[in-house]
């Protein structure tokens, strides 16, 4: 008869009982298909209540250790798989992530720069005050609280007049690009900037779109090149191009809107991913805010201004596309958790987001000065030229060398230095400008930079 | 000369100054293109430091209220859009969400049933101890911590031996279905259960897949019907079918695996969305755990076992598909925030998830008894038959009436009652069984149910 000792146990009795029986099953003391005592017998023999046994048996049933046969009783399962904590490992080839001593290509956010205590405070409040809302499935476009907050932010920061119902919140811009391709149609011609964010090719290709390339001049994408692509959708970053840093001037913006209005079905996807950190120059209106004919889709993210690990981005659709979204795709579930959405909404509404951006702007400005000063005093000061952009968190380092970018990068990597060249961002090999390297300074450690300059110096000749 | 009063102000001086200037710009006191004082003049006239002015000017620049011209100074911007808090509203047709007095179709989770205080505690810990990790971009398949926790859970709860690298975490199962279509190919023939989860049709169609339908018998999908579809991918829920509640017995499971192994390129997508709440009967091995030839993709979610608003689901890929994922799609970013992933990993690792499931199982068991008892004492007791399934959180209410489902639902809706009929889940009109209604009892309020029974009684004849 199955008996256990119930003296001096911690926690609920049924849990202890459940563990005892489970251990006996795993160790073989109780054999497969063996019949367990009835609840009444067990209770009587062990001096505990039948409810306690019921709870223990229920848990064992749920986990598959025992099963019940109607009017017959409880039996030990025949376990085919060992259930002990055994790590399973198969031959899966994970891509190797290489570690570098000086990594200027991958820009990890500094923990000092995330407002952890405010985030924690808002998290506590949300969990205690928004319980109902946290259990309510969000609308596909995102919680109204967050969309209203974003609309207000866009109004004060970018001068954009946005109805919260135009906003669609999603778990990252890649996800939103996919939603857009569904909304606009896969069979349209899409064009992206060259040079530009190369990952876009892979992102579009997974949706079976093969994007065309638009070349740039010193003002941004050129109309000639855009027209040559025969694109219907132009995916561009006029407010701050990566990696060249070009900010498209107003006259060119109007030309682009003119292009968009020449034909039905043309759209401009205005990708505005890090415009919060502009330093000087007259603020330029976004294409979205000067678009009178519903041709512009505006897309932005909290990845740069807050952190990429929060996974919240949003797009603002022109009215007729918002209506199409609600008409055809309202079944889609929102991909961001309610919890994050509520915290973010409060973060914006209480002015913390604005304060954070300003704080970061000052921080980045200081960092930028430090980095420039360091470079200007380093051993490579006579071999490099800093080409600054008016916005964003990087500049282009033009290095006076005849070594090709490919060789340069190889030599640098052999010395533990990882940096991207401008030429890496060209989609094909046309018009590639060599000897230009992208230096994202936002989280550089100055001591590391000085050492890295020595490394670069050695690789130059 | 611009002067402000700096006595008795709260907070940083530069912020106050920024607000004063901004207000003067918005109200028109400072006119567009008007030149602002130099920093030195301003500082001198107002008795504050130039750094303070710099900070205020910087913030105004960032927000576009003023701009700087090199060697000339600071100027007021020409604002085209009013920046005051003005709610914008356009003519966007949001689908109306109808409110019902008795809503038995939409099952909102009860706030009492979510472990808020534990979640808050874990959130605090994560924010204070995982700062570095929170700033580090997660691997595309999800944070290792969470994948390891899920693998351990699957081992103890489902007897599945899983390498964490087989797991892909995503923001909802809809998102993961899309990833699978990319991985397996859009040009394959997919088949889904009929009756079944009708939203699947729309989800697949957005990826331009038109799924075929497999009919069921009392054991689940039939091999005949599956073969007739000529499907290459069978998307099924053998562990608990919704809405019929059928649990596919072992013999049929082996037949399905036999089908999958007849041809290359065939797969079974085992959709296991609420198997944690089984009550009796021998636990059956998942298809995944008896699949010796890498034919089964297992997919599950925390939506049912925890809450749909957390937006975390996962799939377990057979090894060769995991390799394909890493080879071809490693560029994809994870769609779940690090924060949620860390909390969930701790929640699972410390046993809270297991406790939660057990607690919910007891709660649902009690609820089920209450609901059955209520129905058996209600006015419709002689007009309905409760067809229970062995798992899941609903049963089928067979109502003795000759009224068609369509008319019945209409009558019920006119009386504020919303309930789904089994016939709603048929993809087409073949073999539809009428007069069966889906009663999700998990969060029903008993008082409401009693009243609802009166309403049903009135609508029966």
């Amino acid at each position: 008869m199955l008996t256990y000792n119930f003296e001096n146990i911690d926690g609920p009795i049924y849990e202890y009982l459940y563990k005892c029986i489970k251990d006996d099953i795993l160790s073989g003391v109780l054999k497969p298909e063996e019949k367990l005592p009835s609840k009444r017998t067990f209770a009587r023999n062990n001096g505990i209540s039948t409810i306690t046994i019921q709870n223990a048996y229920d848990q064992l049933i749920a986990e598959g250790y025992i099963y019940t046969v109607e009017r017959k009783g409880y039996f030990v399962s025949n376990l085919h798989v060992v259930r002990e904590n055994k790590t399973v490992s198969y031959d899966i080839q994970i891509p190797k992530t290489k570690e570098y001593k000086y990594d200027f290509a991958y820009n990890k956010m500094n923990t000092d720069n995330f407002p952890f205590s405010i985030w924690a405070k808002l998290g506590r409040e949300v969990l205690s005050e928004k319980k109902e809302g946290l259990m309510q499935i969000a609308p596909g476009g995102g919680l109204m609280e967050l969309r209203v907050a974003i609309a207000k932010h866009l109004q004060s920061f970018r001068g954009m007049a946005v109805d919260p119902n135009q906003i669609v919140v999603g778990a990252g811009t890649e996800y939103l690009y996919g939603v857009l391709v569904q909304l606009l149609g896969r069979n349209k011609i899409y064009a992206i900037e060259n040079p530009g964010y190369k990952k876009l090719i892979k992102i579009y290709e997974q949706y079976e779109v093969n994007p065309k390339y638009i070349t740039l001049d010193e003002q941004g994408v050129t109309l000639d090149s855009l027209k040559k692509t025969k694109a219907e959708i132009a995916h561009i970053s006029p407010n701050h191009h990566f990696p060249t840093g070009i900010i498209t001037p107003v006259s060119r913006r109007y030309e682009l809107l003119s292009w968009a209005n020449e034909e039905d079905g043309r759209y401009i996807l205005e990708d505005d991913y890090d415009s919060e950190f502009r330093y000087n120059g007259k603020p330029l209106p976004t294409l979205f805010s000067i678009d009178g004919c519903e041709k512009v889709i505006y897309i932005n993210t909290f990845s740069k201004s807050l952190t990429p690990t929060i996974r919240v981005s949003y797009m603002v659709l022109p009215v007729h596309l918002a209506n199409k979204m609600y008409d055809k795709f309202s079944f889609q579930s929102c991909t961001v958790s309610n919890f994050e959405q509520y915290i973010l909404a409060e973060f914006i509404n209480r002015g913390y987001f604005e304060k954070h951006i300003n704080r970061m702007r000052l921080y980045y400005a200081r960092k930028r000065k430090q980095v420039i000063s360091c470079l200007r005093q380093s051993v490579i000061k006579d071999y490099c030229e800093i080409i600054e952009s008016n916005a964003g968190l990087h500049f282009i380092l033009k290095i006076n060398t005849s070594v090709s970018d490919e060789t340069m990068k190889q030599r640098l990597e052999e010395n533990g230095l990882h940096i991207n060249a401008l030429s890496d961002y060209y989609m094909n090999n046309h018009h590639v400008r060599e000897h230009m390297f992208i230096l994202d300074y936002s989280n550089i450690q100055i001591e590391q930079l000085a050492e890295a300059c020595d490394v670069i110096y050695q690789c130059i000749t």
Side-chain angles (χ1 to χ4, degrees), chain A:
Chain A
M1 177 62 218
L2 213 55
T3 44
Y4 296 106
N5 186 340
F6 292 95
E7 291 168 31
N8 300 325
I9 58 171
D10 288 318
I13 300 176
Y14 89 87
E15 253 189 56
Y16 173 75
L17 178 57
Y18 147 82
K19 282 202 181 74
C20 290
I21 300 175
K22 172 177 150 185
D23 289 343
D24 280 351
I25 291 174
L26 287 170
S27 60
V29 167
L30 287 167
K31 310 235 178 297
E33 313 299 350
E34 184 171 332
K35 187 178 186 311
L36 289 165
S38 75
K39 284 177 289 185
R40 245 183 308 173
T41 316
F42 204 122
R44 205 172 52 228
N45 283 351
N46 285 279
I48 50 178
S49 71
T50 47
I51 290 183
T52 304
I53 319 285
Q54 181 71 61
N55 288 348
Y57 275 9
D58 278 349
Q59 195 164 332
L60 291 161
I61 287 172
E63 292 180 26
Y65 288 100
I66 71 178
Y67 62 97
T68 163
V69 179
E70 223 175 315
R71 289 187 297 272
K72 288 213 159 124
Y74 298 89
F75 298 83
V76 176
S77 294
N78 199 349
L79 299 171
H80 295 278
V81 181
V82 175
R83 286 163 185 268
E84 276 309 315
N85 280 3
K86 211 170 157 181
T87 338
V88 173
S89 182
Y90 297 125
D91 181 28
I92 297 171
Q93 280 103 51
I94 321 293
K96 300 251 174 297
T97 40
K98 203 170 166 197
E99 295 278 321
Y100 295 95
K101 189 164 184 205
Y102 315 99
D103 197 334
F104 300 137
Y106 171 49
N107 179 34
K108 192 179 87 158
M109 181 131 338
N110 190 323
T111 53
D112 291 338
N113 293 338
F114 184 82
F116 282 106
S117 43
I118 292 171
W119 203 260
K121 179 177 92 149
L122 295 177
R124 277 197 299 279
E125 286 184 30
V126 166
L127 280 172
S128 86
E129 290 161 30
K130 298 280 190 191
K131 286 180 173 161
E132 288 287 337
L134 283 170
M135 296 292 104
Q136 184 99 30
I137 291 177
L143 286 176
M144 186 50 104
E145 283 87 342
L146 179 57
R147 290 185 280 135
V148 166
I150 291 172
K152 284 189 184 154
H153 168 75
L154 288 174
Q155 196 159 48
S156 45
F157 252 74
R158 302 301 256 125
M160 287 162 63
V162 170
D163 179 334
N165 286 317
Q166 291 177 268
I167 296 173
V168 176
V169 172
T173 41
E174 283 175 40
Y175 171 75
L176 291 174
Y177 296 150
V179 174
L180 265 176
V181 170
Q182 282 168 14
L183 189 63
L184 298 174
R186 204 171 43 82
N187 296 318
K188 300 286 195 322
I189 299 174
Y190 291 74
I192 59 177
E193 295 155 317
N194 181 17
Y197 188 40
K198 224 165 172 180
K199 196 175 169 186
L200 278 183
I201 305 179
K202 288 193 179 151
I203 293 172
Y204 273 112
E205 280 177 353
Q206 75 182 332
Y207 301 118
E208 286 171 62
V209 168
N210 294 310
K212 304 267 180 280
Y213 309 136
I214 321 167
T215 47
L216 284 70
D217 62 15
E218 72 289 350
Q219 293 191 351
V221 293
T222 69
L223 269 300
D224 272 350
S225 176
L226 175 53
K227 285 172 183 174
K228 274 209 195 89
T229 64
K230 302 204 193 311
E232 290 153 284
I233 292 120
H235 182 161
I236 58 176
S237 333
N239 301 307
H240 174 231
H241 178 259
F242 184 82
T244 63
I246 292 169
I247 299 174
T248 302
V250 177
S251 51
R252 181 66 61 89
R253 292 179 191 224
Y254 279 115
E255 283 186 283
L256 290 165
L257 283 167
S258 170
W259 165 86
N261 281 284
E262 278 170 6
E263 302 273 344
D264 275 341
R266 281 190 185 167
Y267 292 99
I268 296 174
L269 172 47
E270 182 176 19
D271 205 334
D272 200 24
Y273 71 97
D274 78 345
S275 53
E276 280 90 354
F277 302 111
R278 194 172 36 80
Y279 293 113
N280 45 33
K282 199 164 177 172
L284 301 180
T286 55
L287 284 172
F288 187 92
S289 57
I290 52 177
D291 168 31
C293 302
E294 300 193 22
K295 289 289 182 177
V296 179
I297 299 140
Y298 177 89
I299 194 163
N300 204 341
T301 173
F302 290 94
S303 292
K304 271 284 185 174
S305 50
L306 208 49
T307 164
T309 55
I310 194 189
R311 307 275 75 219
V312 185
S313 302
Y314 60 92
M315 58 184 178
V316 186
L317 299 171
V319 174
H320 74 282
L321 285 182
N323 275 320
K324 185 176 178 185
M325 190 83 196
Y326 281 109
D327 181 38
K328 296 211 176 313
F329 298 100
S330 60
F331 64 88
Q332 287 180 345
S333 307
C334 187
T335 43
V336 184
S337 85
N338 287 23
F339 188 40
E340 307 272 1
Q341 294 192 60
Y342 276 122
I343 298 181
L344 191 47
E346 285 306 299
F347 189 71
I348 296 171
N349 285 334
R350 296 198 209 176
Y352 291 122
F353 186 45
E354 208 173 297
K355 279 201 179 78
H356 172 75
I357 288 176
N358 290 324
R359 192 165 58 87
M360 292 314 301
R361 219 172 14 81
L362 292 172
Y363 171 87
Y364 289 139
R366 268 197 311 274
K367 199 67 147 178
R368 182 185 140 268
K369 285 197 175 108
Q370 287 175 344
V371 168
I372 289 176
S373 165
C374 176
L375 288 169
R376 288 195 174 141
Q377 294 166 40
S378 73
V379 292
I380 56 170
K381 67 181 190 286
D382 297 321
Y383 294 88
C384 73
E385 185 190 334
I386 300 164
I387 300 175
E388 282 201 82
S389 57
N390 284 326
L393 307 173
H394 72 277
F395 32 71
I396 293 174
L397 199 65
K398 184 173 177 185
I399 295 181
N400 188 3
T401 177
S402 51
V403 175
S404 79
D405 284 356
E406 201 180 331
T407 312
M408 183 61 137
K409 285 187 67 179
Q410 214 170 336
R411 286 186 190 175
L412 291 169
E413 280 193 24
E414 280 159 21
N415 285 284
L417 200 156
H418 187 211
I419 191 169
N420 285 325
L422 182 59
S423 51
D424 290 334
Y425 295 90
Y426 281 84
M427 312 298 175
N428 42 29
N429 288 331
H430 306 159
H431 319 294
V432 174
R433 294 151 73 198
E434 284 221 313
H435 316 308
M436 317 271 236
F437 294 85
I438 313 296
L439 192 64
D440 181 328
Y441 61 80
S442 55
N443 285 300
I444 282 184
Q445 292 171 316
I446 299 298
E447 325 75 54
Q448 276 219 325
L449 180 59
E451 288 172 28
C453 287
D454 290 331
V455 170
I456 295 173
Y457 182 70
Q458 287 165 40
C459 298
I460 281 181
T461 43

